[in-house]
């Protein structure tokens, strides 16, 4: 029996001894009995030792409260022993969840601020994770004691894929799930950004379950509605290796067989990264900085697009079933919202791909090969066709309200603005419906029309596009949209993009009005006439003035001053503003730049046609400093000399 060595009972007797030396000896023995799965032995050892001695041992190891030279000499050993036994004890949830253990979280965090060996760091993280997970207030105490700072400082030094790294990631996951990510981002933005960089490397290099833990954390942090400060911090970094790591990881997930949830998380992450680094992230370096395995630059683009296309096809089919075929009483509203959210992510990725190929097509070089470019265009055509089918289904069911429908209109508008000749037949059928689509919480189709403006501006450059806009009645929605844009105009040129698109669309339509042969309701244009002329009084740039004047001039072709005075939407002050606008645009003749020359021609030639029907406008134009003879000479110059753009004053 003597040859069998000390037993657990011998260990317990030492732990219950009166002298610290006995208890220390008992603790050394206890490390042999406290195995992971031996809960009973761990509990007996813990109960025999008690918290008081263990707390004193930890503090002594930290250099707190001990003046004995012998204890100071053995400080490192005491620290190692105390942390080892604490980690072992906390493998039992009843011990880990005790108040005695949660009170030690700040002490263990302080220990981690020192230079430690790898095994001691691992045991510290094990203790922190086990207690934070077991105790109700564990995560809060960890966070309030500076846990995020410790994670940010320790994680970059941990071995890739190690158990310690896994524990640190679990601690981060636990903290972000128990506390508000808004609060964490505001208080520890820099630390969270540093952690993201470490996670990006793990996501790229690992090929086990920890890779997907990193993916989950990254997608959760970077796609959060509170992530803007983290995005800004990452965007400002000079070293963008983190973005390469993320691209490597996304490619690895998307080109392999993984669970649908993991594939979706990879797409969410890709969308978030492009919000930080831009669409060209898709065609950057795809091989990891730590490896020499080259991957084609356009591989990521095609994988993201194809995966997004698959998600869109599945989600549109599911949503159509849930909305139009499933029994209403059994409809799961939460499921519909989740699918709509995921559809938004896939749509965003497709839209970013559209922007990418548009910009790449304008550049020199072959960043994307011709074969890959063809594949991308073919895929986009198919997907936009599916989206138009989804919109037609909604139209057939009398549905025009929903965020999924609004997002569908947006992606269609984005793509057809770049390829206006695609999907012609479906566009003819659905344009009148698309300009009526509203978001879930909206009370007008303003957003839909704004999304479609780039496409409408493109298609109305041709007679067929103008005829479609007029015959479908979509021109009414464009006019209403322009009126709202003008009324809400902030006055800055940078914000006037949608206004110019809407103006160009209306201008294209009015210029081809006689050719298209479709009757349009003048009451919409008369209301626009009043709003545009009033708006133009306050604008400072000549291009806005001339755009407004040219549209007004074309509208005046189809009516008269007498009609305007009787129209309920046209006020007396509108006529005054109109007089000022036409006069101002006419007096700019000869001062305009080449860009406004065509607009001046529209105003002057229009004036020659309708001036006699608008006595007040004519009087304003031919009044002070501009007599009838001067105006006639302007018109004569316009029609008899294409190159003559000089303003002929009365003295010439």
């Amino acid at each position: 029996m003597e040859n069998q060595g000390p037993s657990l009972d011998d260990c317990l007797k030492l732990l219950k001894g009166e002298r610290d030396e006995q208890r220390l000896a008992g603790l050394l023995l206890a490390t042999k009995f406290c195995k992971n799965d031996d809960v009973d032995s761990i509990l007996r050892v813990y109960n025999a030792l008690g918290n008081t001695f263990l707390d004193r041992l930890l503090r002594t190891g930290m250099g707190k409260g001990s003046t004995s030279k012998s204890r100071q000499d053995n400080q490192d050993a005491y620290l190692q022993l105390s942390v080892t036994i604490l980690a072992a004890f906390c493998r039992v949830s009843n011990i880990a969840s005790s108040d005695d253990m949660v009170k030690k979280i700040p002490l263990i965090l302080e220990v981690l601020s020192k230079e430690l060996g790898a095994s001691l760091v691992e045991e510290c993280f094990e203790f922190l994770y086990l207690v934070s997970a077991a105790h109700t207030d564990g995560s809060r105490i960890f966070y309030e004691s500076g846990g995020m700072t410790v994670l940010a400082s320790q994680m970059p030094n941990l071995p890739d894929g190690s158990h310690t790294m896994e524990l640190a990631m679990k601690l981060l996951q636990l903290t972000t799930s128990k506390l508000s990510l808004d609060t964490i981002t505001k208080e520890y933005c820099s630390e969270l950004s540093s952690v993201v960089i470490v996670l990006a490397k793990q996501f790229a290099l690992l090929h086990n379950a920890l890779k997907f833990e990193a993916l989950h954390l990254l997608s959760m942090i970077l796609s959060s509605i509170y992530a803007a400060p983290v995005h800004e911090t990452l965007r400002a970094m000079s070293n963008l290796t983190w973005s390469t790591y993320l691209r490597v990881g996304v490619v690895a997930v998307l080109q392999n067989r993984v669970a649908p949830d993991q594939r979706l998380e990879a797409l969410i992450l890709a969308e978030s990264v492009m919000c930080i680094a831009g669409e060209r992230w898709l065609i950057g370096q795809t091989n990891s900085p730590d490896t020499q395995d080259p991957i084609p630059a356009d591989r990521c683009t095609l994988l993201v697009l194809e995966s997004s296309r698959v998600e869109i096809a599945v989600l549109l089919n599911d949503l159509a079933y849930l909305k139009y075929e499933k029994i209403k009483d059994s409809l799961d509203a939460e499921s519909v919202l989740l699918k709509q959210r995921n559809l938004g992510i896939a749509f965003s990725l497709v839209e970013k791909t559209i922007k990418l190929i548009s910009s790449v097509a304008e550049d020199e070089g072959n960043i994307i090969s011709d074969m890959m470019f063809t594949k991308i265009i073919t895929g986009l055509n198919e997907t936009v066709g599916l989206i138009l089918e989804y919109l037609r289904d909604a139209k057939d069911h009398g549905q025009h309200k929903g965020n999924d429908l609004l997002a569908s209109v947006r992606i269609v508008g984005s793509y057809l603005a770049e390829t206006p000749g695609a999907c012609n037949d479906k566009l003819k059928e659905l344009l009148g419906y698309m300009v009526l689509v509203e978001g879930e919480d909206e009370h007008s189709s303003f957003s839909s029309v704004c999304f479609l403006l780039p496409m409408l501006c493109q298609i109305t450059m041709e007679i067929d596009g103008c005829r479609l806009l007029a015959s479908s009645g979509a021109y009414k929605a464009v006019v209403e949209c322009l009126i709202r844009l003008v009324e809400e105009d902030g006055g800055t040129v940078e914000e006037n993009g949608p206004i110019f698109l809407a103006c160009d669309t209306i201008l294209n339509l009015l210029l081809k009005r006689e050719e298209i042969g479709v009757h349009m309701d003048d009451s919409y244009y008369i209301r626009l006439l009043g709003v545009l002329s009033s708006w133009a009084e306050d604008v400072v740039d000549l291009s806005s003035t001339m755009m407004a004047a040219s549209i007004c001039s074309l509208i005046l072709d189809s009516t008269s001053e007498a009609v305007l005075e009787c129209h309920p939407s046209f006020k007396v002050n509108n006529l005054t503003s109109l007089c000022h606008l036409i006069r101002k645009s006419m007096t700019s003749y000869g001062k305009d730049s080449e860009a406004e020359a065509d607009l001046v021609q529209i105003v002057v030639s229009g004036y020659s046609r309708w001036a006699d029907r608008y006595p007040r406008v004519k009087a304003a134009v031919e009044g002070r400093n501009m007599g009838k003879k001067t105006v006639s000479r302007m018109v004569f110059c316009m029609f008899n000399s294409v190159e003559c753009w000089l303003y002929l004053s009365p003295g010439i």
Side-chain angles (χ1 to χ4, degrees), residues 10-48:
D10 295 329
C11 173
L12 297 177
K13 288 178 182 179
L14 289 170
L15 291 172
K16 293 176 182 179
E18 296 181 357
R19 292 178 293 119
D20 285 349
E21 289 77 5
Q22 290 176 299
R23 293 175 179 176
L24 284 171
L27 267 182
L28 290 171
L29 283 177
T31 57
K32 299 180 181 180
F33 296 106
C34 294
K35 304 299 182 183
N36 289 353
D37 56 349
D38 193 351
V39 175
D40 182 63
S41 296
I42 294 174
L43 280 171
R44 291 178 67 188
V45 169
Y46 178 72
N47 291 330

Side-chain angles (χ1 to χ4, degrees), residues 40-58:
D40 182 63
S41 296
I42 294 174
L43 280 171
R44 291 178 67 188
V45 169
Y46 178 72
N47 291 330
L49 182 64
N51 180 68
T52 303
F53 175 78
L54 194 54
D55 189 69
R56 192 166 77 249
L57 180 64
L58 175 60

Side-chain angles (χ1 to χ4, degrees), residues 112-114 116 121 125 149-158:
L112 280 171
S113 67
K114 306 176 184 296
L116 306 173
V121 171
F125 272 107
T149 301
V150 170
L151 284 175
S153 63
Q154 288 287 333
M155 288 182 70
N157 303 318
L158 301 180

Side-chain angles (χ1 to χ4, degrees), residues 421-434:
C423 308
N424 272 337
D425 292 339
K426 292 178 181 178
L427 181 61
K428 289 178 182 177
E429 179 185 354
L430 292 170
L431 180 60
Y433 165 77
M434 287 194 291

Side-chain angles (χ1 to χ4, degrees), residues 288-587:
S288 166
D290 300 280
T291 65
Q292 300 299 321
D293 301 326
I295 299 176
D298 50 17
R299 174 75 60 81
C300 185
T301 307
L302 190 61
L303 284 170
V304 168
L305 176 61
E306 290 303 307
S307 299
S308 300
R309 291 181 60 235
V310 170
E311 290 293 327
I312 289 171
V314 172
L315 289 168
L316 289 180
N317 185 64
D318 289 350
L319 284 169
Y321 170 74
L322 290 172
K323 292 170 69 174
Y324 310 130
E325 297 183 29
K326 193 172 183 180
I327 300 173
K328 296 296 182 183
D329 293 340
S330 62
L331 187 63
D332 184 355
E334 186 175 344
S335 176
V336 171
L337 288 174
L338 179 61
K339 290 182 184 297
Q340 287 179 338
R341 173 186 175 274
N342 294 340
L343 182 64
I345 295 294
F347 275 175
S348 178
L349 287 168
V350 170
E351 187 171 13
K352 286 177 168 57
T353 305
I354 293 169
K355 290 180 181 178
L356 172 68
I357 62 170
S358 176
S359 64
V360 167
E362 296 173 359
D363 295 342
E364 296 181 358
N366 296 314
I367 300 175
I368 297 180
S369 65
D370 291 342
M371 184 174 68
M372 189 68 73
F373 194 85
T374 301
K375 285 184 179 179
I376 291 172
I377 294 298
T378 301
L380 288 172
N381 280 336
E382 292 177 0
T383 296
V384 171
L386 278 177
I387 295 170
L388 286 168
E389 289 288 348
Y390 183 71
L391 288 170
R392 181 164 60 186
D393 204 9
K395 176 187 175 184
D396 293 342
H397 286 84
Q399 298 287 326
H400 69 278
K401 199 175 187 68
N403 292 336
D404 53 328
L405 300 180
L406 182 61
S408 298
V409 170
R410 173 172 174 160
I411 198 72
V412 169
S414 177
Y415 182 60
L416 295 185
E418 301 296 336
T419 55
C423 308
N424 272 337
D425 292 339
K426 292 178 181 178
L427 181 61
K428 289 178 182 177
E429 179 185 354
L430 292 170
L431 180 60
Y433 165 77
M434 287 194 291
V435 296
L436 300 177
V437 169
E438 302 174 8
E440 196 66 46
D441 300 320
E442 296 180 343
H443 303 290
S444 77
S445 60
F446 175 72
S447 295
S448 282
V449 180
C450 286
F451 292 147
L452 291 171
L453 283 177
M455 176 201 74
L456 295 174
C457 187
Q458 288 289 322
I459 67 171
T460 52
M461 295 176 71
E462 303 294 335
I463 188 68
D464 289 340
C466 290
R467 188 174 289 114
L468 172 60
L469 191 64
S471 62
S472 65
Y475 72 93
K476 298 177 183 178
V478 178
V479 171
E480 293 288 351
C481 176
L482 178 55
I483 290 172
R484 179 169 170 180
L485 286 168
V486 166
E487 290 176 339
E488 297 177 356
D489 178 34
T492 62
V493 176
E494 291 78 9
E495 297 174 353
N496 281 353
I499 291 179
F500 285 127
L501 286 171
C503 283
D504 278 339
T505 302
I506 296 297
L507 193 63
N508 290 339
L509 187 61
L510 291 173
L511 285 170
K512 301 178 181 68
R513 187 169 188 167
E514 293 185 3
E515 295 178 69
I516 60 178
V518 177
H519 173 74
M520 292 187 284
D521 189 343
D522 284 333
S523 63
Y524 283 87
Y525 289 115
I526 291 175
R527 185 179 168 214
L528 176 62
L529 186 69
V531 174
L532 267 183
S533 56
S534 298
W535 169 72
E537 284 191 303
D538 299 322
V539 299
V540 293
D541 64 299
L542 181 61
S543 60
S544 296
T545 299
M546 294 311 304
M547 179 66 80
S550 59
I551 292 175
C552 290
S553 179
L554 291 170
I555 294 173
L556 292 175
D557 262 331
S558 61
T559 183
S560 68
E561 190 170 307
V563 172
L564 293 180
E565 289 174 340
C566 298
H567 199 281
S569 297
F570 199 83
K571 310 300 181 185
V572 174
N573 61 326
N574 293 146
L575 185 57
T576 303
S577 298
L578 180 62
C579 292
H580 292 164
L581 173 61
I582 298 300
R583 177 180 172 79
K584 183 179 178 181
S585 62
M586 296 282 279
T587 55

